């Protein structure tokens, strides 16, 4: 049973690749025989930081496979993992850290082994024009500077602590924010002078903030794993979506958003 | 309930049926269960064995102390500003009074997060008024304990104003008038006659405001941020603990529940029924 499902899914993935390479030249010429197997709704639970890139990929998937629909539930990886182990009907889980993925795999809710599909690095977000002249992580420890960090309980905060330890730095922020977007917002609103967030968030914020790279971030890179879920209501189509995320085209979208290749 | 075993039990049930119609009793009991069940569930799921070590951590006490201090200060702010505001609404005729009353009660129905955003826009470092505070005095309110008090007062003050205004409307204005005809200024009359008259209503409103301030979450985390010992109140600590350590979140919730129940139960008989 398992084997046959895999075979079908593999065929679907192959069809997808063919479709993707063919879709630019002729849409009607796609191998309708095998791609007809892909239909219905795929429900993807994904980390909030994937919002922009996964929405793009979902649209491309729907275009390549008429009749399919990709719906997303973006949120904090921890709470998404809790929903999945609590029985939420999802097909795919993409989390912002291996430890949150482990919550799902430990509960036996994943099908197969999760695969790391991108990595995300930290960056300092400063006010536009970098008026405080922040050039390194150490500069954030200057007194009089209002810095916000993610709380240690959430993945971006855990990564920030790792980076600070790597640089042997002690940093007292004015606030530990509840997620990465909240930390970034405080800088966008000019309430804080700087925040440590993901590179992808700085990129998504456009010219509202300015990003400053720092070497310690190399010691605190987050792996993003993706997994098909065991009780996926629409496993075949879901598998094809995972393949798209991991394909060259998917990687192009993700690296375009600032993610690193695994 | 049905088929009482003892005579006394049967009589009691019958008397209950006689006085309370079932169409009222049934929804009332369901309503009661609906409100009480989540709290019972909290007690059931509390990790009692690890509770002592969860609650003896310095961070918990810091958050609790901060919660109590800030809620009390927010209540003081509400009293100082809210009682005169309630008096104005109840005793002085002015154009647009209905509109002012609506605006005053707005934070009651406004989602607290929206209140937090509004406070940021007004009093944040880049805010309409906050920018001036920063430029003139170097004073910024977000990320400070004062910010917590402001956020809590913003959400809690309407409870006090409504409560006091209601009491003022019920109180007979002729006592005040008599005092002024005897030579007292209007402020003296307010201080010596009106205030003692409405004291129970003020106390009830203060208790409500204090309880609301203690539970404040949305406006606080939005406006004041989250830093242990400075702006991390108990509700914030509970929310963040839930991300990684549900057991700790349950223990913290239990403390907040116990404090709230103790205060409300302790004050209810004394003040609330008097209003």
């Amino acid at each position: 049973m398992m084997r046959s499902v895999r075979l079908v899914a593999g065929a679907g993935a192959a069809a997808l690749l063919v479709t993707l390479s063919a879709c630019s030249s002729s849409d009607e010429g796609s191998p309708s025989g095998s791609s007809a197997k892909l239909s219905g709704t795929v429900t993807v639970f994904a980390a909030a930081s994937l919002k922009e890139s996964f929405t793009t990929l979902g649209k491309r998937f729907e275009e390549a496979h008429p009749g399919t629909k990709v719906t997303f539930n973006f949120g904090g990886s921890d709470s998404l993992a809790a929903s999945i182990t609590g029985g939420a009907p999802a097909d795919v889980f993409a989390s912002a850290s291996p430890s949150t993925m482990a919550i799902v795999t430990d509960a036996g809710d994943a099908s197969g082994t999760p695969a790391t599909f991108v990595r995300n690095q930290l960056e300092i977000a400063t006010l536009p024009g970098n008026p405080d002249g922040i050039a390194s992580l150490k500069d954030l420890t200057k007194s009089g500077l209002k810095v916000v960090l993610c709380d240690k309980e959430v993945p971006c905060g855990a990564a920030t602590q790792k980076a600070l330890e790597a640089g042997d730095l002690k940093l007292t922020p004015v606030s530990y924010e509840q997620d990465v977007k909240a930390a970034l917002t405080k800088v966008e609103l000019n309430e804080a002078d700087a925040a440590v967030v993901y590179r992808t968030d700085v990129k998504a914020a456009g010219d509202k903030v300015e990003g400053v790279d720092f070497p310690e971030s190399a010691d605190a890179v987050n792996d993003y794993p993706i997994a098909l879920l065991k009780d996926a209501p629409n496993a075949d189509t879901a598998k094809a979506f995972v393949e798209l995320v991991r394909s060259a085209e998917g990687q192009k979208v993700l690296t375009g958003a600032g993610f690193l290749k695994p | 309930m049905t088929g009482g075993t003892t005579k006394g039990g049967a009589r009691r049930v019958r008397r209950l049926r006689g006085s309370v119609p079932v169409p009222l009793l049934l929804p009332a009991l369901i309503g009661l269960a609906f409100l009480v069940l989540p709290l019972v569930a909290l007690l059931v799921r509390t990790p009692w064995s690890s509770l002592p070590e969860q609650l003896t951590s310095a961070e918990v006490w810091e958050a609790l102390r901060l919660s109590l201090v800030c809620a009390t200060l927010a209540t003081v702010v509400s009293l100082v500003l809210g009682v005169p505001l309630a008096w104005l609404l109840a005793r002085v005729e002015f154009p647009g009074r209905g509109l002012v009353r609506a605006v005053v009660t707005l934070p009651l129905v406004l989602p607290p997060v929206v209140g937090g955003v509004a406070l940021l826009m007004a009093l944040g470092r880049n805010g309409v008024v906050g920018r001036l505070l920063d430029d003139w005095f170097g004073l910024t309110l977000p990320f400070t304990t004062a910010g917590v008090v402001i956020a809590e007062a913003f959400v809690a003050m309407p409870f006090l104003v409504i409560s006091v205004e209601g009491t003022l409307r019920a109180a007979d204005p002729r006592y005040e008038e008599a005092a002024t005809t005897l030579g007292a200024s209007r402020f003296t009359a307010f201080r010596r006659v009106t205030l003692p008259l409405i004291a129970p209503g003020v106390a009830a409103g203060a208790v409500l405001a204090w309880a609301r301030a203690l539970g404040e979450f949305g406006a606080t985390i939005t406006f004041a941020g989250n830093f242990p010992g400075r702006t991390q109140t108990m509700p914030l600590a509970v929310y963040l603990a839930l991300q990684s350590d549900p057991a700790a979140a349950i223990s913290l919730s239990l403390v907040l529940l116990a404090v709230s129940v103790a205060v409300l139960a302790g004050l209810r008989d004394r003040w609330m029924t008097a209003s």
Side-chain angles (χ1 to χ4, degrees), chain B residues 185-271:
Chain B
S185 74
R186 212 167 178 191
F187 180 63
T188 310
F190 170 78
R191 208 160 41 85
R192 304 285 294 272
V193 179
T194 316
L195 215 47
L197 207 62
I198 61 165
V202 173
V207 171
L208 272 179
W210 189 85
R212 181 67 191 83
L214 190 70
E216 214 307 308
F217 170 77
T220 310
I221 202 163
T222 311
F223 181 60
N226 169 62
F227 189 85
R230 193 162 64 221
T231 61
Q232 189 182 67
T233 56
M234 285 294 274
L236 271 58
V238 170
Y239 176 74
L240 285 158
L242 198 58
Q243 310 265 343
S244 66
D245 190 357
I250 294 169
S251 308
L252 291 173
S253 302
L254 194 71
V255 175
L256 207 54
L257 179 69
V259 172
S260 306
V261 166
V263 169
L264 286 180
L267 291 178
R268 193 178 171 94
D269 287 338
R270 193 148 163 219
W271 297 113

Side-chain angles (χ1 to χ4, degrees), chain A residues 146, chain B residues 123-125 128-141 144:
Chain A
K146 283 191 195 306
Chain B
L123 299 173
R125 192 168 69 167
V128 179
V129 178
R131 192 197 303 261
L132 303 178
L133 290 177
D134 192 20
D135 286 352
W136 295 346
F137 310 108
L139 193 71
T140 56
L141 291 166
T144 62

